[in-house]
Amino acid sequence: MQTSSQDIAATATEFGISTRGAYNQLYMRGWSFFEQCLATPWSPTTPDGVINLGVAENSLMHNQIVKFIEQNTQVDPISQLTYGNGPRGSPRLQRALASFLNRKFSPLEPAKSDDIIVMAGVTPVIDALTWALCNEGEGIIIPQPYYTAFATDIPGRARGVIIPATFQDIEGYKGFDDVFDAEMNVQALETALSNAESKGVKAKGLMLVNPHNPLGRCYPPETIRAIAGFCQAHNLHLISDEIYAQSIYNNPDATDVVPFTSALALDLPIDTQKLHVAYGASKDFCANGLRLGMLHTRNRGLMGAMASNAMLGWPPYLVQDIWAAMLEDTDYTDEFLGKNRELLGESYKVVTDFLREQGVGYYGNSNAGMFLWIDLRRHLVGKKEGGQPPELRVGKLSPGDLEKYLEREQHIWKVLGENKILLAMGSVFASEELGWFRMTFSASRPALEVGLERLKKVFDALKRSQL
């Protein structure tokens, strides 16, 4: 992203704000767009509304969640309308989360409530974690492509630096499957660390998103072990974001995929003081709006540092106890998660059948999450240019070609918006290659069906267009 120190200084002067505030106002306003375009979401009563297949929201079990909340919410003024036990989390939810981790994540050492801090989503967790681990200008290594909001979570307030680990220049790289290969990861991480050091950026940790976002696949245990070994060798913290841990579905066409394995379940070659696992209610429990996340860590110093700022990301006890009630009802939780996995698999099939009918490629070795990584590269090339994608790797393009193809990727996104349907551009996920988009398939079935109708119109329009 190109930034201008003159623009930052001018904005700071104009509004009387800090330079960091001016920087964020100019360059970190991702939600401003969504506030506008999602003001009128599609529903049966607003058929002209926007259908959002760009943000990772799961609506498949909303009716069940609503019913549970309505039947199980009771207000206790003593514990829920006061400060309670403070900002580190409702003791009830901490106990329920520890039990849930022990049942579903199979940790080698049982999780305890004292190991858990609760915040208003995983975004505040990552923000607080970065603030606690990194001095300003120090970095977190993340394999590419990676979750778009890390570009806000890490530098936005804590002023940490994202250190991208690239794969496509590694000798022998063949495709996205290699992103999950142990040896390929070690090579990518070593190169990323070396590049950061050459720029004077000190790495303090590594962020692993397992299952992967946006590729929708689980890391094999041997790769997690290799990454942990890399972290130990270089005195880095390993942060495992496992927010999609229970959103695993059956993909009969996938090859060599593995079930989810938590970093807590493995005997990893890393100091336990440097292993931290994030989780939240948003994805597996279809409840982005509850704004609940947690970090499991056995590092008491880190826990204390994060707790010192916990008031800045303190979710209401009433909301915390809603999630606690779900987790305490183990029969309900097991049934809910099982049904969610079944519905995810069904929606995956609906969308992949549609994409094949439209001749649109996608990364097919996925079995987790609620999205697909779809290939629209051919639409970045005009018919006068032969219609075949050229070299679209960001690191290989000249500045002029990079600008040209980014504009064409944005053109596709604009056409989608004009047809009131959202996908997410691959470039916002730090994709190494332009022309990929992330498509969420966990909208309600009525919304998904209308969305696919709109997508067909978009694909037809792109086929007809002359860039």
Side-chain angles (χ1 to χ4, degrees):
M1 177 177 62
Q2 296 295 319
T3 62
S4 166
S5 57
Q6 290 181 332
D7 289 345
I8 294 168
T11 299
T13 299
E14 178 182 0
F15 296 103
I17 58 178
S18 68
T19 54
R20 66 174 180 268
Y23 178 94
N24 284 17
Q25 195 274 336
L26 288 170
Y27 305 115
M28 293 189 177
R29 300 182 64 193
W31 275 105
S32 297
F33 167 78
F34 288 108
E35 289 170 358
Q36 297 173 24
C37 67
L38 296 180
T40 307
W42 181 92
S43 74
T45 58
T46 54
D48 293 329
V50 174
I51 292 181
N52 178 12
L53 302 184
V55 176
E57 292 181 334
N58 185 349
S59 302
L60 297 174
M61 298 286 285
H62 273 180
N63 289 339
Q64 290 86 336
I65 284 284
V66 169
K67 183 178 179 181
F68 183 93
I69 292 174
E70 290 177 342
Q71 293 179 347
N72 293 274
T73 301
Q74 296 177 337
V75 180
D76 178 1
I78 294 177
S79 65
Q80 296 171 336
L81 301 183
T82 67
Y83 288 124
N85 283 62
R88 282 182 50 171
S90 153
R92 179 184 178 188
L93 180 55
Q94 289 173 315
R95 290 191 299 270
L97 282 166
S99 177
F100 178 74
L101 291 176
N102 290 331
R103 287 200 316 117
K104 296 296 186 180
F105 289 59
S106 304
L108 286 182
E109 181 180 336
K112 299 179 294 184
S113 58
D114 287 346
D115 301 331
I116 292 168
I117 185 169
V118 178
M119 304 189 83
V122 173
T123 282
V125 166
I126 300 302
D127 166 61
L129 189 60
T130 305
W131 178 86
L133 293 179
C134 298
N135 294 309
E136 186 169 334
E138 294 179 336
I140 305 288
I141 302 173
I142 313 179
Q144 290 180 262
Y146 53 75
Y147 171 49
T148 177
F150 287 150
T152 299
D153 300 351
I154 291 171
R157 180 165 53 177
R159 290 302 187 254
V161 175
I162 292 177
I163 303 170
T166 63
F167 288 83
Q168 291 193 358
D169 289 332
I170 298 174
E171 184 177 355
Y173 175 87
K174 297 178 181 178
F176 292 123
D177 288 349
D178 288 336
V179 174
F180 302 89
D181 178 79
E183 184 177 343
M184 285 283 186
N185 268 275
V186 172
Q187 290 187 57
L189 298 174
E190 291 284 3
T191 300
L193 183 63
S194 176
N195 290 340
E197 290 173 345
S198 70
K199 297 174 183 177
V201 176
K202 180 180 180 180
K204 295 298 292 291
L206 184 148
M207 179 76 70
L208 185 70
V209 181
N210 181 33
H212 194 284
N213 177 9
L215 296 181
R217 182 172 172 178
C218 302
Y219 279 87
E222 61 269 20
T223 302
I224 301 173
R225 290 191 186 95
I227 291 171
F230 166 84
C231 290
Q232 181 68 13
H234 295 285
N235 195 29
L236 301 175
H237 292 259
L238 173 56
I239 307 145
S240 186
D241 180 347
E242 302 183 358
I243 196 168
Y244 296 99
Q246 302 300 312
S247 294
I248 315 299
Y249 57 86
N250 179 46
N251 176 4
D253 299 324
T255 58
D256 298 326
V257 297
V258 296
F260 168 74
T261 302
S262 172
L264 296 173
L266 299 172
D267 185 10
L268 297 177
I270 189 171
D271 182 351
T272 57
Q273 295 281 301
K274 287 187 163 59
L275 175 63
H276 323 293
V277 172
Y279 185 68
S282 295
K283 312 307 181 182
D284 293 344
F285 288 88
C286 310
N288 290 40
L290 287 185
R291 306 311 309 138
L292 289 168
M294 55 135 274
L295 185 78
H296 176 281
T297 180
R298 296 191 174 97
N299 186 321
R300 295 300 153 211
L302 175 63
M303 178 73 80
M306 292 179 66
S308 72
N309 277 339
M311 286 185 67
L312 305 178
W314 184 353
Y317 271 54
L318 177 62
V319 177
Q320 293 187 54
D321 288 348
I322 289 172
W323 195 19
M326 295 180 199
L327 298 176
E328 290 165 350
D329 189 338
T330 56
D331 289 340
Y332 174 84
T333 298
D334 291 345
E335 182 180 353
F336 180 94
L337 295 174
K339 184 63 176 178
N340 184 48
R341 287 191 289 267
E342 178 185 332
L343 293 177
L344 285 171
E346 291 176 3
S347 292
Y348 174 88
K349 184 178 187 307
V350 168
V351 171
T352 53
D353 285 348
F354 166 80
L355 292 174
R356 285 194 293 269
E357 289 172 2
Q358 298 300 311
V360 175
Y362 58 92
Y363 178 60
N365 267 351
S366 54
N367 68 333
M370 52 201 63
F371 33 72
L372 281 163
W373 195 234
I374 71 172
D375 183 3
L376 301 183
R377 287 176 296 171
R378 61 176 174 165
H379 296 300
L380 282 110
V381 186
K383 294 178 182 177
K384 294 179 181 179
E385 298 172 287
Q388 293 298 317
E391 173 66 76
L392 291 174
R393 281 191 286 173
V394 173
K396 298 295 185 181
L397 291 170
S398 68
D401 282 344
L402 177 60
E403 182 179 1
K404 176 176 69 175
Y405 290 118
L406 272 172
E407 287 177 353
R408 292 181 178 181
E409 187 176 83
Q410 291 163 357
H411 169 74
I412 295 174
W413 191 60
K414 181 180 178 181
V415 174
L416 288 162
E418 290 170 349
N419 285 270
K420 296 188 176 180
I421 183 162
L422 297 181
L423 302 183
M425 292 187 298
S427 55
V428 303
F429 293 89
S431 175
E432 294 187 61
E433 190 172 23
L434 298 180
W436 291 85
F437 281 69
R438 194 189 72 174
M439 177 181 178
T440 299
F441 56 77
S442 53
S444 68
R445 183 58 61 86
L448 185 62
E449 290 173 352
V450 175
L452 296 182
E453 292 174 3
R454 294 181 184 180
L455 265 183
K456 185 179 186 307
K457 293 179 182 178
V458 171
F459 292 154
D460 289 344
L462 291 172
K463 290 173 186 176
R464 293 192 301 267
S465 68
Q466 290 267 7
L467 288 173

